[in-house]
């Protein structure tokens, strides 16, 4: 068994694809419209789906808002340098909601940050060296 993808429902598919590709550096792997169901699926990731986990963005054509609820946590992405990644994300117009720094209430040495995507989903940035 292996984890294939995580799905997020998004309101503005183009804006979300731009965030994940232009700001977080993913690639659009595939995209397909389903006219009879009135939805579009877009799969993004850092490598091909045969060897990497993907992010599935689902755009329901007739839905103009979602409630995130309080059960969802975040997607985590490993970056070489969390501080540099935050600066690059800010420079591209991304919303860094927790600047890079040590994990609170921990002595593990983990450096992390949080970014918010266009729909309000949280994305955690983590350093390769961590004690989580």
């Amino acid at each position: 068994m292996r984890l294939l993808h995580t799905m997020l429902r998004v309101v503005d598919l183009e804006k979300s694809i731009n965030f994940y590709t232009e700001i977080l550096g993913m690639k659009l792997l595939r995209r397909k419209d389903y006219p009879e169901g009135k939805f579009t699926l877009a799969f993004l990731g850092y490598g091909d789906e045969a060897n990497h986990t993907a992010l599935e963005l689902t755009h329901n054509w007739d839905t103009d808002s979602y409630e995130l609820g309080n059960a969802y946590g975040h997607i985590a992405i490993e970056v070489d340098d969390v501080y540099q990644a935050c600066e690059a994300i800010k420079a591209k117009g991304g919303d860094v909601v927790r600047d890079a720094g040590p994990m609170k209430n921990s002595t593990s040495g983990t450096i992390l940050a949080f970014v918010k995507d266009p729909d309000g989903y949280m994305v955690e940035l983590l350093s390769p060296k961590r004690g989580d």
Side-chain angles (χ1 to χ4, degrees):
M1 288 188 225
R2 72 179 184 94
L3 185 63
L4 295 177
H5 63 262
T6 296
M7 185 272 274
L8 299 176
R9 289 181 178 88
V10 300
V11 174
D12 185 331
L13 185 60
E14 297 310 317
K15 190 173 183 178
S16 293
I17 289 172
N18 184 62
F19 172 79
Y20 286 101
T21 58
E22 299 300 319
I23 294 178
L24 294 185
M26 291 183 184
K27 295 197 180 338
L28 178 61
L29 305 172
R30 59 189 169 101
R31 174 182 177 157
K32 185 172 181 184
D33 292 329
Y34 294 85
E36 289 188 20
K38 295 185 179 180
F39 67 94
T40 302
L41 301 181
F43 290 81
L44 301 98
Y46 293 109
D48 66 273
E49 291 179 81
N51 299 301
H52 297 86
T53 302
L55 178 63
E56 174 189 342
L57 302 180
T58 298
H59 171 64
N60 294 299
W61 301 351
D62 296 333
T63 303
D64 40 347
S65 69
Y66 291 102
E67 292 183 27
L68 297 183
N70 62 4
Y72 174 79
H74 60 268
I75 297 167
I77 297 175
E78 183 179 278
V79 297
D80 290 333
D81 183 310
V82 180
Y83 294 96
Q84 286 180 355
C86 284
E87 292 308 313
I89 288 167
K90 287 178 186 178
K92 294 176 183 176
D95 185 9
V96 177
V97 296
R98 197 265 199 200
D99 284 316
M103 182 176 165
K104 294 177 182 164
N105 304 311
S106 174
T107 58
S108 68
T110 299
I111 303 297
L112 59 85
F114 280 92
V115 178
K116 191 182 293 187
D117 89 348
D119 288 277
Y121 294 112
M122 300 299 285
V123 179
E124 181 181 30
L125 306 176
L126 287 165
S127 60
K129 296 178 183 176
R130 57 187 183 274
D132 55 346

